[in-house]
């Protein structure tokens, strides 16, 4: 369970602006801007300028994967500094970027969504939607790639919902619940004199070392750039604004020896569906900084998380309030997480680990060679 503590707050831009323009805005409400959030008609995500990727590198990735570009809508600042300044969560004396040109991103290319994995096993074809079947929130199939990319890792994943036994759809998730798409990097133990070794317990009390605990594993848990989009019915792009997609950068109370790279979806219930062809496809691209370990054992899940705290405190960032309220997922669908990669079974290390997980994670994962030359 996360610690109930605000990490970042958002300040709105006066209107959507390009990433190149947005990064010229470096302060808001007298506070340093740390990152930028974007929402367009087709994609959503974050860019953190000091965390491994240049503006041009990030724009190239977005263009290659989706055919479009970010429209920046808000900026991240330190939540405590904003509270201490006396400004409201999303207020500033002057709206950010009012003097910058309005930016309207080009249309995304839905055909690119089916080309985002290298050499995956043949995917099962989604049948037409039918009535009278059991429903589940769990994705039927997941294709994942974790590769080395300069100073960052490149994590790409395609989550697919379809099938009739049960009928899989994000819209089946119970009200007041969302889901998180999580990659767990397990670091080697760090020992120290005394009864308790460094690296055991829960963040932030991980012991003193020369390396920050956020950087212990192969992937750092510092804020990372990411983007995502949804295709339904095979060719229709869903407007992502109402899905509540968020990067989860709050690692307080996480185990010290596990670095989790996570994107969440607060409101999967509103994801679109094509009545005639069926099928939902969520593609997520994450670029965490490389950490201290050259490689780490990897596990991955999709888990249900409560939205209750976010509904009680809507001013909180989703990364801080999602999953805080304890409780067991009530259904429909299983209460436990959907296994994507079983670390205890495989003990495979990343980066340069790619695999396919079918049949709701009940079948053994299928791996293929994706080493970067």
């Amino acid at each position: 369970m996360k610690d109930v503590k605000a990490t970042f707050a958002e300040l709105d831009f006066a209107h959507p602006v390009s990433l190149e323009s947005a990064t010229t805005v470096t302060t808001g409400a007298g506070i340093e801007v740390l990152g930028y959030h974007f929402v367009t008609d087709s994609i959503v995500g974050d860019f953190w300028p000091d965390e491994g990727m240049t503006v041009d590198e990030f724009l190239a990735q977005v263009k290659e994967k989706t055919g479009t570009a970010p429209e920046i809508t808000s900026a991240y600042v330190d939540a405590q500094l904003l509270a201490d300044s006396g400004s409201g969560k999303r207020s500033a004396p002057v709206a950010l970027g009012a003097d910058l040109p309005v930016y309207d991103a080009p249309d995304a290319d839905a055909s690119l969504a089916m080309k985002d994995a290298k050499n995956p096993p043949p995917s099962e074809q989604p049948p037409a939607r039918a009535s009278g079947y059991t429903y589940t929130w769990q994705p039927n199939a997941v294709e994942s790639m974790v590769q080395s990319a300069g100073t960052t890792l490149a994590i790409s994943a395609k989550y697919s919902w379809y099938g009739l036994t049960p009928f899989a759809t994000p819209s089946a998730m119970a009200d007041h619940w969302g889901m998180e798409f999580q990659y767990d990097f397990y670091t080697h133990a760090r020992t120290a004199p005394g009864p308790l070794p460094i690296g055991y317990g829960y963040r932030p009390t991980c012991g003193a070392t020369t390396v920050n605990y956020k950087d212990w594993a192969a992937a750092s848990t510092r804020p990372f750039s990411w983007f995502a989009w949804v295709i339904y019915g095979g060719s229709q792009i869903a407007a992502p604004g109402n899905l509540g997609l968020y990067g989860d950068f709050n690692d307080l109370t996480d185990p010290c020896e596990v670095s989790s790279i996570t994107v969440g979806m607060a409101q999967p219930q509103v994801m679109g569906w094509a009545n005639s062809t069926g099928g939902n496809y969520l593609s997520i691209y994450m670029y965490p900084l490389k950490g201290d370990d050259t490689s780490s054992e990897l596990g991955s899940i999709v888990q249900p998380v409560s939205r209750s705290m976010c509904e009680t405190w809507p001013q909180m960032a989703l990364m801080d309030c999602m999953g805080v309220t304890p409780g067991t997922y009530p259904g429909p669908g299983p209460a436990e997480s959907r296994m994507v990669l079983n670390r205890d079974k495989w003990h495979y290390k990343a980066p340069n680990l790619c695999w396919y997980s079918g049949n709701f994670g009940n079948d053994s994962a299928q791996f293929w060679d994706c080493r970067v030359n």
Side-chain angles (χ1 to χ4, degrees), residues 59-118:
L59 289 174
Q61 288 295 311
V62 176
K63 178 70 173 179
E64 176 187 345
K65 301 299 193 302
T66 68
T68 186
E71 292 176 17
I72 305 301
T73 55
S74 61
Y76 290 108
V77 296
D78 184 278
Q80 188 60 55
L81 290 178
L82 185 64
D84 293 343
S85 74
S87 299
K89 172 180 178 288
R90 301 182 73 92
S91 65
V94 177
L96 299 181
D99 58 335
L100 297 175
V102 176
Y103 181 67
D104 183 17
D107 292 338
D109 182 354
S111 68
L112 296 175
M114 301 304 149
K115 302 175 183 178
D116 57 5
K118 295 181 180 179

Side-chain angles (χ1 to χ4, degrees), residues 340-357:
V340 176
L341 182 66
N342 189 331
R343 177 250 184 173
D344 292 332
K345 175 179 179 179
W346 296 105
H347 295 283
Y348 283 178
K349 291 187 175 184
N352 301 329
L353 180 64
C354 301
W355 74 98
Y356 172 90
S357 171

Side-chain angles (χ1 to χ4, degrees), residues 115-141:
K115 302 175 183 178
D116 57 5
K118 295 181 180 179
N119 303 319
S123 296
E124 305 162 56
Q125 293 299 311
R129 182 170 185 168
S131 60
Y133 289 89
T134 302
Y135 282 64
T136 181
W137 60 270
Q138 292 190 340
N140 186 300

Side-chain angles (χ1 to χ4, degrees), residues 129 137 159-161 168-173 179 181 229-233 236-240 242-245 265-274 279-284:
R129 182 170 185 168
W137 60 270
Y159 300 87
S160 304
W161 291 263
T169 170
S171 61
M173 179 151 275
M179 62 180 77
F181 308 88
W229 63 332
V230 171
I231 305 295
Y232 64 99
Q236 300 178 68
I237 302 173
N242 293 330
L243 294 173
L245 285 159
M265 183 188 297
Q267 299 189 112
Q269 299 86 354
V270 302
M271 189 182 289
W273 191 274
N280 296 75
Y281 307 92
L282 167 67
S283 292
I284 305 176

